Amino acid sequence: MGGEVSILKMIRTTLGSDLSSITRVDLKAGYFSHLVDTGASPTAEKFESPFQETTCCAAVVSSEEPLIITGLELNDCIPQWSMMKAEGLRAYLGVPIYVNDRIVGALEAICREPRVWSETDLEHIMKFAVLVESLMPDEEIEVRVPKLKLVN
């Protein structure tokens, strides 16, 4: 876990985000496991939450593509980002994490204020995702992700 925490700290520093997260998904058990660095303490917080289709990390895992949100307005009625709105978060950059060509989660940078993510930001987080993938065991369980129906 030490290597993952270091990567999360590098993401926050490099991208200037308020928090960074490695989110792993286990659909068979129905939960996400999160490792989140906010910079508030020397260690990252680890916790689990139920799998919810209305989260940004679920959208990244389902689409198997990066998700970029630049300025979520708190009065926007977009149900799939309800968790971000509840936490007062406004900008999100997330990319898939793969092991053995199978998606196992998302690597995320999140800001409390609107943020226009650059192409360089996307390139950086994708390189960090490769580092995270290199730390994961090869025997990862296959994850089967249902396609989500996102409401606009």
Side-chain angles (χ1 to χ4, degrees):
M1 186 166 91
E4 292 172 336
V5 172
S6 295
I7 292 169
L8 290 175
K9 290 185 183 306
M10 286 188 286
I11 289 169
R12 278 191 332 91
T13 301
T14 302
L15 300 181
S17 63
D18 293 312
L19 60 111
S20 56
S21 173
I22 297 171
T23 299
R24 302 282 308 282
V25 62
D26 183 340
L27 291 179
K28 291 179 184 176
Y31 71 89
F32 285 121
S33 64
H34 307 273
L35 183 63
V36 179
D37 179 55
T38 63
S41 67
T43 60
E45 181 180 346
K46 189 171 187 171
F47 64 95
E48 292 180 354
S49 66
F51 179 84
Q52 297 178 357
E53 293 180 353
T54 59
T55 61
C56 294
C57 48
V60 171
V61 169
S62 175
S63 69
E64 298 185 27
E65 294 184 5
L67 174 63
I68 300 169
I69 299 173
T70 59
L72 181 67
E73 293 298 326
L74 299 182
N75 60 356
D76 285 347
C77 295
I78 305 174
Q80 64 264 40
W81 315 138
S82 59
M83 297 299 291
M84 274 189 64
K85 286 172 49 177
E87 297 293 327
L89 303 170
R90 309 274 303 277
Y92 175 94
L93 176 61
V95 296
I97 300 171
Y98 294 91
V99 173
N100 294 331
D101 297 323
R102 295 185 179 118
I103 193 161
V104 297
L107 183 61
E108 306 158 300
I110 307 168
C111 295
R112 289 184 178 84
E113 296 299 323
R115 161 85 184 263
V116 176
W117 301 101
S118 70
E119 191 66 35
T120 303
D121 294 333
L122 180 59
E123 290 171 10
H124 284 311
I125 200 166
M126 290 173 69
K127 288 177 183 175
F128 285 125
V130 172
L131 288 174
V132 169
E133 292 165 358
S134 72
L135 297 174
M136 295 191 174
D138 288 338
E139 63 273 3
E140 283 294 326
I141 298 171
E142 179 177 356
V143 176
R144 297 183 188 277
V145 180
K147 293 297 178 189
L148 301 181
K149 296 176 184 169
L150 300 179
V151 179
N152 287 328

